[in-house]
């Protein structure tokens, strides 16, 4: 029988995308959903909690978030390497519990120093968790873990949208008690996400490789891509930091639109992230996705800047259109990042490499809030133009950086277990974004129908 008859039918792909089959993928998806319900509470109103309830000046909040991001930069690399060496499941569980305790500590914040301590612990645990989860996604994600990761991101945005609904109530009421309930809900969700992971089977540690231990840190092309992704990742703070402060302080739009903008973006991501990721099947395609994303972010920033000084109906219209355009760019940026980060990382060092790539998100955590507050809130409309131009230029720089990474000396040394997994003469497709299998039928049958 021809191999192509084994391709899953469209109805099967749809069902798999909505609900993974019972097993590790479903456990990861449910845990991720619970985690992101709590994240939706904090992402929508976290900055406002510290500025409106704790009464910290916006500049101090931006500085504190920057300090926390700097302190967390190296955490992802170290914990990712630890997950490779001792097993990712246990390490990931610990990071979730630490993040839950640190988030609960937000309730005790009464000044700048306690704010920095609590948010640094939470941010560091978050960065560590993303790195520790990467080997689990690669191990249980099928032939193309990039797609399972895109699926998890869609699930994340369902959870975030539910959290954003509750956050909208807190923002509208504006009371300290309402904001504190959101923080407590986030901490509980983090602890519950860890509990859900308990049935996940342990992942055996990767065999120790020969040669230098920190190979990801020696991979200069990968480090360059990490830096560029970090600059682009500042865009994640636009909708969670800059837009809420801009909307409340500079526009005539109703305050409840803070949740409306978050929900608009999450619905788009839920509907289209998997589809966007399926179209990005090579590092070159990932570079093109980055380039398109930069242009979309520039257009969105211009529209957001124009929402000040206009009637409420016009401000609402401009902001919602800007959010749609920005989120389309976010789909492209995320799809490109999923492909590049996994395709250029050797399997035996997934945690370490994805920990290094997580430095980009760390840079965004460290410098994004302060940068956006200084330019977009402090400078006003011209600052939005500068931020948009920064995104566009970064997007243009990614494709040549990817070409350099693919033709230059690569740090993806042979996997020490490759002899056990790859028959003689079979190409190792890890670095070009294709599955390891050289058999087309396996690519068809094993390719997951959802993404993360």
């Amino acid at each position: 029988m021809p191999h192509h008859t084994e391709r899953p039918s469209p109805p099967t792909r749809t069902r798999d995308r909505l609900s993974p089959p019972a097993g590790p993928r479903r456990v990861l998806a449910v845990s991720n959903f619970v985690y992101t319900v709590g994240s939706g509470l904090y992402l929508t109103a976290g900055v406002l909690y510290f500025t409106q309830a704790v009464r910290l000046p916006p500049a101090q909040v931006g500085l504190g978030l920057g300090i926390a991001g700097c302190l967390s930069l190296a955490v992802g690399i170290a914990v990712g390497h630890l997950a490779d060496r001792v097993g990712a499941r246990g390490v990931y569980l610990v990071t979730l519990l630490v993040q839950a305790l640190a988030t609960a500590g937000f309730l005790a914040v009464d000044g700048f120093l306690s704010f920095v301590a609590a948010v640094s612990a939470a941010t560091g645990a978050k960065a560590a968790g993303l790195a520790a989860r990467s080997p689990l996604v690669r191990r249980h994600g099928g032939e193309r873990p990039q797609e399972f990761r895109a699926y998890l991101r869609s699930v994340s945005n369902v959870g975030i949208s539910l959290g954003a609904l509750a956050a909208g109530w807190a923002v509208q009421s504006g009371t300290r008690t309402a904001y504190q309930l959101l923080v407590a809900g986030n901490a509980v969700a983090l602890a519950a996400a860890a509990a859900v992971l308990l049935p996940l089977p342990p992942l055996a540690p990767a065999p120790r490789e020969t040669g230098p231990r920190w190979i990801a840190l020696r991979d200069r092309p990968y480090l360059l891509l990490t830096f560029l992704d970090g600059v682009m990742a500042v865009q994640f703070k636009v909708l969670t930091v800059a837009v809420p402060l801009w909307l409340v302080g500079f526009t005539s739009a109703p305050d409840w639109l803070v949740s409306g903008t978050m929900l608009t973006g999450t619905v788009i991501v839920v509907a289209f992230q998997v589809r966007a990721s399926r179209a990005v099947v090579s590092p070159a395609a990932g570079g093109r996705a980055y380039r398109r994303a930069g242009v979309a972010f520039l257009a969105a920033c211009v529209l957001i800047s124009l929402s000040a000084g206009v009637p409420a109906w016009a401000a609402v219209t401009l902001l919602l259109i800007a959010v749609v355009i920005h989120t389309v760019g976010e789909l492209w940026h995320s799809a490109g990042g999923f492909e590049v980060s996994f395709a250029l990382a050797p399997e035996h060092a997934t945690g370490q490499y994805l920990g290094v790539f997580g430095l980009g998100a760390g840079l965004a955590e460290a410098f994004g809030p302060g940068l956006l507050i200084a330019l977009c809130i402090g400078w006003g409309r011209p600052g939005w133009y500068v931020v948009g131009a920064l995104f566009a230029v970064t997007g243009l720089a990614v494709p040549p950086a990817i070409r350099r990474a693919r033709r230059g000396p690569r740090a993806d040394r042979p996997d020490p277990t490759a002899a056990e997994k790859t028959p003689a003469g079979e190409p190792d497709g890890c670095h070009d974004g294709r599955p390891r299998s050289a058999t087309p039928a396996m690519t068809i049958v094993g390719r997951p129908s959802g993404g993360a």
Side-chain angles (χ1 to χ4, degrees):
M1 179 179 293
H3 290 310
H4 68 271
T5 59
E6 300 180 52
R7 182 187 294 272
S9 64
T12 300
R13 292 169 67 97
T14 302
R15 288 195 299 269
D16 288 346
R17 182 168 67 249
L18 295 177
S19 177
R25 287 196 216 181
R26 182 175 293 180
V27 171
L28 285 169
V30 173
S31 174
N32 195 66
F33 172 75
V34 174
Y35 176 98
T36 52
V37 169
S39 296
L41 299 173
Y42 179 72
L43 288 173
T44 305
V47 172
L48 295 177
Y49 166 73
F50 291 114
T51 58
Q52 303 295 320
V54 184
R55 302 294 181 185
L56 291 175
Q60 285 192 7
V61 173
L63 177 61
L65 292 174
I67 293 172
C70 288
L71 294 176
S72 70
L73 285 177
V75 174
I77 305 174
V79 174
H81 182 69
L82 182 66
D84 289 330
R85 299 278 70 82
V86 304
R89 173 183 170 274
V91 175
Y92 185 38
L93 278 169
V94 171
T95 66
L96 289 175
L97 293 175
V98 171
Q99 193 176 351
L101 292 173
T103 300
F106 292 172
L107 298 173
V109 169
D110 58 1
F112 179 70
L113 293 180
S114 58
F115 163 65
V116 171
V119 80
S120 294
T123 302
K126 179 181 178 181
L130 290 173
R133 191 185 70 166
S134 296
L136 296 173
V137 172
R138 186 163 218 168
R139 172 63 180 82
H140 301 300
E143 294 282 359
R144 277 188 53 78
Q146 297 93 322
E147 287 190 13
F148 181 55
R149 193 175 175 191
Y151 171 78
L152 288 180
R153 186 161 194 268
S154 294
V155 171
S156 296
N157 279 270
V158 174
I160 288 172
S161 65
L162 295 177
L165 287 173
W169 160 76
V171 172
Q172 192 64 31
S173 65
T175 65
R176 181 181 178 89
T177 300
Y179 281 116
Q180 288 177 329
L181 287 174
L182 295 186
V183 171
N186 188 15
V188 170
L190 289 165
V196 171
L197 278 178
L198 291 176
L200 192 70
L203 187 61
R208 294 186 178 276
E209 70 275 10
T210 58
R213 174 177 297 180
W214 302 102
I215 59 173
L217 293 176
R218 298 168 180 264
D219 192 338
R220 293 182 181 179
Y222 198 86
L223 292 177
L224 174 60
L225 288 168
T226 294
F227 171 76
L228 293 174
D229 182 75
V231 176
M232 191 71 90
V234 174
Q235 62 90 3
F236 289 113
K237 300 299 178 181
V238 169
L239 298 186
T240 59
V241 175
V243 166
L245 294 174
W246 179 261
L247 187 154
V248 172
F250 292 84
T251 79
S252 57
D255 290 353
W256 57 259
L257 192 63
V258 170
S259 286
T261 58
M262 179 67 70
L263 286 171
T264 299
T266 54
V267 167
I268 294 172
V269 171
V270 169
F272 298 106
Q273 185 64 78
V274 173
R275 185 176 302 177
S277 297
R278 282 180 179 156
V280 181
V281 295
S282 70
R288 292 190 293 271
Y290 271 94
R291 186 170 56 204
R292 293 193 298 268
V295 175
F297 296 145
L298 172 59
C301 285
V302 171
L303 291 175
I304 293 169
S305 75
L306 297 177
S307 66
V310 299
W313 67 268
V316 170
T317 302
L318 287 168
L319 287 168
L320 288 178
I321 294 174
V323 168
V324 170
I325 295 174
H326 182 97
T327 307
V328 170
E330 186 178 318
L331 294 176
W332 287 329
H333 171 213
S334 296
F338 296 158
E339 178 62 33
V340 169
S341 61
F342 272 100
L344 299 178
E347 185 171 351
H348 68 283
T350 298
Q352 183 185 149
Y353 263 75
L354 272 293
V356 167
F357 200 79
L359 287 174
L363 287 171
E365 292 282 351
F367 302 110
L371 177 68
L372 293 175
I373 290 173
L375 291 177
C376 302
I377 307 304
W379 194 2
R381 184 170 290 169
W384 283 103
Y385 300 153
V386 172
V387 170
L390 177 64
F391 290 142
V393 171
T394 303
L396 292 173
V398 172
I402 290 176
R403 289 194 293 270
R404 178 190 172 195
R406 299 187 72 189
R407 68 170 177 261
R410 298 290 301 123
D412 47 350
R413 295 165 176 79
D415 187 334
T417 63
E420 302 173 8
K421 297 183 296 184
T422 306
E426 182 177 345
D428 181 354
C430 176
H431 69 282
D432 65 1
R434 294 188 296 272
R436 288 183 177 275
S437 171
T439 307
M442 291 186 66
T443 301
I444 293 169
V445 175
R447 178 173 177 171
S449 55

